Amino acid sequence: MFFIMFVLSLIFTGVSCSKDDMTSFNVVDFGAVDGGKTDSSQAFLEAWMAACNGEIAHVTSQVIVPEKMSFLVNPVTFSGPCKVKNINFLVFGTIIAPDSPSNWDEQDASEWVVFKTVSRLMVGGLGTIDGRGKGWWDQSCRGNPESKGCTKLAPTALKFLSCNDSSLRNIFITNSPQTHVLLHWSYGFVIDYVNIQSPESSPNTDGIHIHASHHLAITNSRIGSGDDCISVGDYVSYLDIVNIYCGPGHGISIGSLGSSGNVVQVENIRVINAILNRTTNGARIKTWQMGRGHVRGVTFENMRFISVKYPIIIDQNYCDIRGKCKELDTGVQISQVLYRGMYGTSFTDAAIVLNCSRVVPCYGISMEYIRLTPAITERRVTAECGNAYGQEFEVEPGPCLVQIKDGYKGAKSMAASPNISK
Ligand SMILES: *[C@@H]1O[C@H](CO)[C@@H](O)[C@H](O)[C@H]1NC(C)=O
Ligand SMILES: *[C@@H]1O[C@H](CO)[C@@H](O)[C@H](O)[C@H]1NC(C)=O
Ligand SMILES: *[C@@H]1O[C@H](CO)[C@@H](O)[C@H](O)[C@H]1NC(C)=O
């Protein structure tokens, strides 16, 4: 079914311009060599520059990576702004990364393929981007904390930095050394029909990570990896995550936020229609105690959990080594979070955990129509809340929130919120 969706989507989105106002630049014409053994980065860059600086303004240029071919590409940055109005980067074949970390010797170890300051960019094409991350995973500190030569930083397969009004569509991304797709400083970005797959055991391989970006959508995508399927960073607003299949992985996570005491501003995030299959978390918000700022206006709606360890979780006492962080008098204020229509099974007893900050409690939490049952028969599931204020209706297990009518000392911040009684 996924394949049919991919094809339909390509028909509707990929072929929107007539041939006449489109100029194509095939990487092979610029010297790229099929077979995945010869470094073709220079050819890719030249094709990009030709497309980006196309003579005629107001047209769409496209870089073509032809089908049934495979190209080895070293770390490379495709920069804009471009002279053409729209630029497509169409991967019909396969792009593969160097197979050893030593190929990054002189280069920034956080990057492989980067698109930078390009607007109206579309990356797509039904092809594959293979980060061949095994060499990185094997030396990762996450996997080998005892090892002296272990590395914390590994390349992100695809980075989009300052790419406005752009999209990533119909593509298969696999085996990234670390995060698969990163969006940073981008306004108006759509990720649609993307399939991301890496082994469950691969360290820090987030599917999609978003930071400092606004007005975004991630839709119709399938993600399985060794870390969060989708994670949302400190300064993100107006993000819709719709029709997502996640698993294996750590779930869909807002956070971790505020890791170095910075100010968090996360607003208007919606996660609608998601299946989480055997993931660690389901709907998660996690913040570091030293963080400041706020998370507000979050909706998790219509989510199905299959044997998820912590289906609904807020962890405001997040700490890399659990229990090892000192309690602080700071915290990120979480408010106006709606959970509605959440069904399925919990692998641990802790089906609902809202572990909010003692200093800045969570308020305006609404839970409606939730039914979580044990994945293992004869177990039971619980709801545990701390410093969490709001209301709930038809929630099982429950109740757990402190009803808002009981009030709490932080009434000042509650008064500022418009939507607590219903
Ligand atoms: C992207 O859009 C934002 C908001 O409109 C703007 O501030 C920024 O300069 C734009 N970036 C680029 C690279 O055009
Ligand atoms: C959940 O994952 C398991 C193991 O990969 C798979 O067999 C099962 O079909 C999945 N369930 C759904 C609903 O996709
Ligand atoms: C909540 O956070 C506190 C402080 O870190 C911790 O001791 C407690 O175990 C957490 N509770 C849950 C249910 O995770």
Side-chain angles (χ1 to χ4, degrees), residues 31 83 111 121 179 195 212 220 278 286 315 349 352 385:
K83 284 189 186 155
E111 300 183 338
L121 163 71
T179 300
N195 185 5
N220 308 311
R278 304 178 191 209
K286 63 170 171 174
D315 183 358
D349 301 356
I352 300 176
C385 296

Side-chain angles (χ1 to χ4, degrees), residues 117 119 162 164 187:
T117 53
S119 292
S162 297
N164 288 354
Y187 286 71

Side-chain angles (χ1 to χ4, degrees), residues 229 245-252 274-284 303-313 342-353 372-376 379 381:
C229 288
Y245 178 97
C246 165
H250 294 185
I252 296 175
I275 297 177
L276 291 106
N277 190 355
R278 304 178 191 209
T279 54
T280 320
N281 305 282
R284 171 163 68 166
M303 296 178 73
R304 180 166 162 225
F305 305 103
I306 302 160
S307 207
V308 169
K309 281 190 180 154
Y310 304 101
I312 296 179
I313 178 162
M342 318 281 275
Y343 303 96
T345 57
S346 175
F347 187 74
T348 70
D349 301 356
I352 300 176
V353 178
L372 298 168
T373 55
I376 303 161
R379 294 281 281 272
V381 289

Side-chain angles (χ1 to χ4, degrees), residues 317 353 355 384:
N317 300 301
V353 178
N355 203 347
E384 265 185 61

Side-chain angles (χ1 to χ4, degrees), residues 160-353:
F160 295 91
L161 310 176
S162 297
C163 293
N164 288 354
D165 306 314
S166 294
S167 62
L168 173 67
R169 300 174 189 274
N170 304 304
I171 202 146
F172 177 53
I173 306 166
T174 186
N175 298 326
S176 180
Q178 213 164 72
T179 300
H180 288 75
V181 177
L182 173 86
L183 296 190
H184 206 144
W185 303 305
S186 298
Y187 286 71
F189 200 106
V190 174
I191 297 180
D192 191 31
Y193 290 98
V194 165
N195 185 5
I196 294 175
Q197 300 297 327
S198 283
E200 186 168 12
S201 58
S202 58
N204 299 316
T205 50
D206 280 3
I208 300 168
H209 180 68
I210 299 177
H211 193 83
S213 295
H214 312 274
H215 299 281
L216 319 156
I218 304 173
T219 50
N220 308 311
S221 293
R222 195 179 177 94
I223 304 167
S225 73
D227 209 309
D228 297 329
C229 288
I230 298 172
S231 61
V232 176
D234 281 344
Y235 185 52
V236 174
S237 67
Y238 296 96
L239 163 63
D240 279 349
I241 298 173
V242 184
N243 292 339
I244 302 296
Y245 178 97
C246 165
H250 294 185
I252 296 175
S253 187
I254 297 179
S256 50
L257 303 172
S259 62
S260 39
N262 36 323
V263 176
V264 172
Q265 247 178 289
V266 172
E267 294 172 8
N268 299 310
I269 312 291
R270 296 192 293 190
V271 180
I272 301 173
N273 299 345
I275 297 177
L276 291 106
N277 190 355
R278 304 178 191 209
T279 54
T280 320
N281 305 282
R284 171 163 68 166
I285 302 176
K286 63 170 171 174
T287 70
W288 293 78
Q289 278 186 41
M290 63 191 110
R292 295 152 204 272
H294 65 260
V295 174
R296 68 178 165 232
V298 179
T299 298
F300 292 104
E301 186 165 0
N302 197 16
M303 296 178 73
R304 180 166 162 225
F305 305 103
I306 302 160
S307 207
V308 169
K309 281 190 180 154
Y310 304 101
I312 296 179
I313 178 162
I314 292 180
D315 183 358
Q316 288 214 268
N317 300 301
Y318 184 69
C319 178
D320 37 3
I321 308 160
R322 188 158 284 283
K324 283 280 154 67
C325 294
K326 274 205 305 251
E327 192 163 321
L328 302 171
D329 62 356
T330 51
V332 176
Q333 175 82 75
I334 296 178
S335 65
Q336 310 308 337
V337 183
L338 169 64
Y339 300 91
R340 179 197 281 146
M342 318 281 275
Y343 303 96
T345 57
S346 175
F347 187 74
T348 70
D349 301 356
I352 300 176
V353 178

